[in-house]
Structure formats: C-alpha cells, structure tokens
Amino acid sequence: MTDSIGSSSLFGGVGTALLLAAHLANRMGAVLRIVTRTEPPSPQNVSLVLDAYGVRLDHETQFAFTPPHADPASGLDVVPGELFVTTSWWSTAATLPSVPHDSIIYLLQEDERMFYPFGEERLRCDEVLNNRSIRFVLNTRMLFEHMVASGLGHFKTQAQWFEPAFPATLFHERKREPGGKRRLFSMRDPRIRAIFSGQGSL
C-alpha cells in the first residue's frame, strides 16, 4: 500500500518497498498486489525496479487504485491471512480501520514524526507508531535504535531492521587513480542516469 509507483516516485523508499514486498511474496508463495492511493499504478515501473535488482516474482502481480478519499480496502477482495505492507504513517492509518491490525507490516524508512511541528498530524503519526498490534520493519539499525531511544520501546519486540544493499550490477567498486576525484556513484550507467533524470521511466 503506497501513494504512487509513478516514475517520479521511485526514488529510494518506494523502490525499497517494492523489493521488500516482492521478496515477502516469494517467501510466502503469495501473489503480490500493489495498491496505490494518489495515482493509478504503472506496472511497467515495477518490472523495471525488480529487473534492475534481479528479482523475479514466482506468481503474477496484481494492481489496484484506491484514492485517498476511499476506504483502501473497498473494492479489494481481502482474504484471511493476507498481509498488508504499508509505506507511511498515513497509508497505515488509512488501512487500520479495514483490516486486522496484526496483518499490517509498516515499512518505516525515516522518523516520520519529524515531518511536522507539534500539532494534529504529528499526534496522528505518533499514534500509529505507538500501535502495539502492527509490526514494523525499519530501514537500518541506526533508525531502529533511534526510534527505541525516542520512546518507542515496543519496537524491541514488534520491529525488525535491515541494512540496505545495492546490486553489484548497478553499484560496484572501481579502481581510482591515487589522488583522483571521488564519486558517490557513476552516472555513466544509463539506468542510473534514468533514475535521476526525473523524466520517463527507469
């Protein structure tokens, strides 16, 4: 469950969510269904992300669009045992009224409370983070430790963390001349250029 998988949305976080969901679907022998909330899904973008990382789904992928004003589970055939991977506090909050809370896995990739000053939205975000029924997956141990230290002690039992990785086919070490210029990554690879161009698909 995410806002968009459009080309302009595939930076980092959404791509990570797609990869996590794909691996989870394969591990469970399940069909992956991608539900977007702000714009209709772009199936070709999912294929491009998974192909770039060498991930192959064992089953078909389904797509659905549920605008923010709609109940995210309306029009969806929800079956017992189905899991929902949510990607933000607002997509989690929108999903909570419609499905069993313990069926939600909230992928948390930053401290989303920091998006807001103290006010209603921050309180609503904090309420979701303090939910003792949903499960959390955090992008990096550092974020996990920060969230626990900031008062979310239940993460010790309700959360798992992972360290991000990059495929060697896209990001790999290369020899550098002594004293040569350092680069974070190479823009020579056309796939990398496409990701950062902001134009078209990957």
Side-chain angles (χ1 to χ4, degrees), residues 156-189:
K156 292 178 182 178
T157 56
Q158 285 178 242
Q160 298 286 326
W161 57 268
F162 66 92
E163 294 295 348
F166 302 96
T169 54
L170 291 179
F171 300 93
H172 51 274
E173 188 176 357
R174 63 181 178 85
K175 291 185 178 181
R176 182 170 57 91
E177 294 295 326
K181 186 176 181 181
R182 294 184 178 191
R183 291 182 179 164
L184 178 60
F185 52 81
S186 174
M187 293 296 283
R188 292 180 185 160
D189 189 312

Side-chain angles (χ1 to χ4, degrees), residues 3-6 36-43 64-65:
D3 289 343
S4 168
I5 54 171
T36 58
R37 307 211 64 219
T38 59
E39 63 179 317
S42 303
F65 176 52

